[in-house]
Amino acid sequence: MMNTRCIHPAPVASFLFLLAWLVLFTTGCAKQDQDVVFSSKENVLHLFNWNNYIAPETIGRFEKSCNCKLSQDYYSDNEEMLAKLSAGATGYDLIIPTGNAMDTLIRQGALKPLDKSLLPNLGNINPAYLDTPFDPGNKYSVPYAYTLTLLGFNQEKIKSLGLPTDTWAVIFEPKYLEKIKGRVTVLDSQRELMAAALKYLGYSVNDTDEKHWKEAANLIVRAKPYWAAFSNTSYIKELAVGNLWVAQGYSNDMFQAALDARNTGRKFTIGYSTPKEGAVLALDSMVLHRSGSRPDLAHQFINFMLEGKNSAELTNLIGSGNPNMDAIQYIQAEIANNGAIFPAPEMLNHLEMLRDLDRKQRRVLSRLWTEIKLR
């Protein structure tokens, strides 16, 4: 594990600050030098982040390490984040977007290139998560965490019904859905649901052939009458209390549902698995926004989060996947050994990251999605 570098802003506010700095510099008094800098009210890092996407104890240690403050604003999905930025939101030093949103941010010229000389801990990242299609060479992005889109299920109920838990067929095929009608939900996301349907049909999640999209849409429409709802968040609670028996959702959400069911003493277990046909892997990365005024603190934060102990705290908090090889030693064994959170090497070949669509493709997909919702 490598150490975090600490970077401080130059004192320029007043002659007194300058004089103090000169005196302290010439006397080699580093401690007093820091005291001058720390008095600045501007020593704040502004982070635009997903909700609950950094452990409180990690924040405390980072603030102590640099004598700065971490200020966060939150978003619930990439579209919300992109919309706020497009509407004029500025002043964010760091953002943590998912890969397909990275495409958009890079194309818009919204990001600053990284100075990798300030990131000595970058070597902790597993090379499998570097040099991604959305940022070749990692000019702008450093991997932070990832989630898989998979199946969560009431283990005892599904076993008693004789249903499979390793295939998207359980949410698309009527012969299975007849046994769980009204007890299954899918994500209210055109990209995620279409991705599951495309994988089940044997296509890539990034397939843009309109014929294949219509096949996937027909598969969804056929299954829709059996589903209780399109849901992005409520499935966590509904699985945990036993109202749902199957749900398409995110691996960290399924981790939370399983934890809630266990902690409340339910007489069933929430399991989750990655379908054999493959699934979406969503890699979130730390990037510097062009409007940020503290790239020095932003680089310091990135390097701090690349330390294994700091990175592991997020995984232990929410059950996220972790691309940091140094973090594994600090992650709870039941999480580190969970194949639905840390996929085996052979499963990695079946996982794909969503790519951004062009304007025409987005229009076509939005039209198909509207038809799906109306039918």
Side-chain angles (χ1 to χ4, degrees):
M1 180 171 65
M2 305 180 77
N3 293 327
T4 303
R5 294 177 59 180
C6 200
I7 306 164
H8 302 296
V12 294
S14 69
F15 172 76
L16 290 176
F17 269 32
L18 178 59
L19 180 61
W21 181 83
L22 287 171
V23 170
L24 293 171
F25 179 79
T26 53
T27 58
C29 184
K31 175 63 171 60
Q32 292 181 40
D33 185 9
Q34 290 175 350
D35 289 342
V36 173
V37 174
F38 299 161
S39 67
S40 169
K41 294 181 180 178
E42 301 303 319
N43 209 27
V44 178
L45 176 70
H46 293 279
L47 175 62
F48 199 18
N49 196 5
W50 301 83
N51 191 32
N52 195 35
Y53 213 33
I54 181 170
E57 58 268 34
T58 311
I59 295 174
R61 277 205 312 282
F62 173 69
E63 291 180 332
K64 186 176 181 181
S65 75
C66 66
N67 284 274
C68 66
K69 291 294 181 184
L70 179 64
S71 173
Q72 292 192 83
D73 284 341
Y74 304 102
Y75 50 87
S76 58
D77 60 41
N78 285 295
E79 286 69 29
E80 180 186 347
M81 177 267 292
L82 292 172
K84 287 184 176 179
L85 293 177
S86 296
T90 59
Y92 294 117
D93 299 297
L94 271 172
I95 307 174
I96 304 185
T98 310
N100 53 321
M102 279 286 302
D103 284 327
T104 303
L105 292 167
I106 292 174
R107 191 174 60 250
Q108 293 175 341
L111 305 182
K112 293 177 183 175
L114 296 166
D115 181 349
K116 293 180 184 175
S117 70
L118 301 177
L119 305 175
N121 293 338
L122 187 58
N124 289 340
I125 296 294
N126 186 330
Y129 298 95
L130 295 172
D131 202 23
T132 56
F134 57 78
D135 185 21
N138 288 86
K139 182 178 180 182
Y140 299 100
S141 64
V142 173
Y144 182 77
Y146 64 82
T147 58
L148 305 184
T149 308
L150 38 66
L151 292 167
F153 49 87
N154 183 314
Q155 207 155 272
E156 287 74 13
K157 181 61 69 174
I158 294 307
K159 184 177 180 181
S160 70
L161 294 172
L163 296 178
T165 57
D166 63 345
T167 169
W168 291 118
V170 75
I171 65 166
F172 289 127
E173 290 295 342
K175 66 178 180 180
Y176 297 133
L177 288 167
E178 287 170 355
K179 298 182 179 180
I180 53 175
K181 185 175 182 179
R183 300 283 194 163
V184 53
T185 63
V186 295
L187 288 170
D188 190 9
S189 163
Q190 52 183 260
R191 290 300 306 275
E192 289 284 5
L193 187 55
M194 285 291 284
L198 286 167
K199 290 300 282 185
Y200 181 59
L201 293 169
Y203 304 126
S204 164
V205 300
N206 293 307
D207 194 315
T208 55
D209 187 321
E210 288 188 34
K211 290 181 181 176
H212 298 164
W213 278 5
K214 289 178 181 175
E215 284 182 54
N218 290 336
L219 185 71
I220 292 169
V221 168
R222 188 182 66 169
K224 183 183 169 188
Y226 299 93
W227 298 338
F230 294 83
S231 167
N232 283 345
T233 55
S234 63
Y235 67 84
I236 305 171
K237 177 182 176 183
E238 298 301 321
L239 271 173
V241 300
N243 292 337
L244 281 181
W245 296 342
V246 176
Q248 179 201 20
Y250 302 110
S251 52
N252 55 322
D253 287 346
M254 299 308 179
F255 170 81
Q256 187 61 55
L259 197 62
D260 290 348
R262 189 173 66 189
N263 290 343
T264 53
R266 302 289 175 183
K267 295 181 179 179
F268 54 81
T269 306
I270 300 301
Y272 41 109
S273 65
T274 309
K276 60 187 178 185
E277 297 89 356
V280 170
L281 183 151
L283 179 65
D284 295 329
S285 299
M286 297 175 278
V287 300
L288 278 64
H289 193 247
R290 186 165 293 281
S291 71
S293 62
R294 296 301 305 271
D296 55 342
L297 280 180
H299 279 91
Q300 186 177 346
F301 178 83
I302 293 172
N303 201 51
F304 178 85
M305 291 306 299
L306 285 170
E307 290 185 21
K309 182 178 180 182
N310 301 328
S311 179
E313 284 176 339
L314 175 65
T315 296
N316 289 331
L317 177 69
I318 67 168
S320 62
N322 198 315
N324 190 315
M325 296 181 292
D326 189 53
I328 299 300
Q329 62 185 309
Y330 302 104
I331 294 173
Q332 297 165 14
E334 66 173 312
I335 300 176
N337 295 327
N338 188 327
I341 297 176
F342 288 88
E346 56 270 23
M347 177 53 76
L348 281 176
N349 296 326
H350 298 282
L351 303 176
E352 295 182 82
M353 299 183 197
L354 287 172
R355 300 295 309 275
D356 198 14
L357 301 174
D358 64 31
R359 188 171 299 178
K360 180 187 174 186
Q361 291 163 344
R362 280 197 290 270
R363 278 202 303 270
V364 172
L365 186 57
S366 292
R367 189 180 68 242
L368 276 175
W369 186 246
T370 300
E371 292 173 4
I372 288 170
K373 287 296 192 76
L374 291 176
R375 290 174 67 181

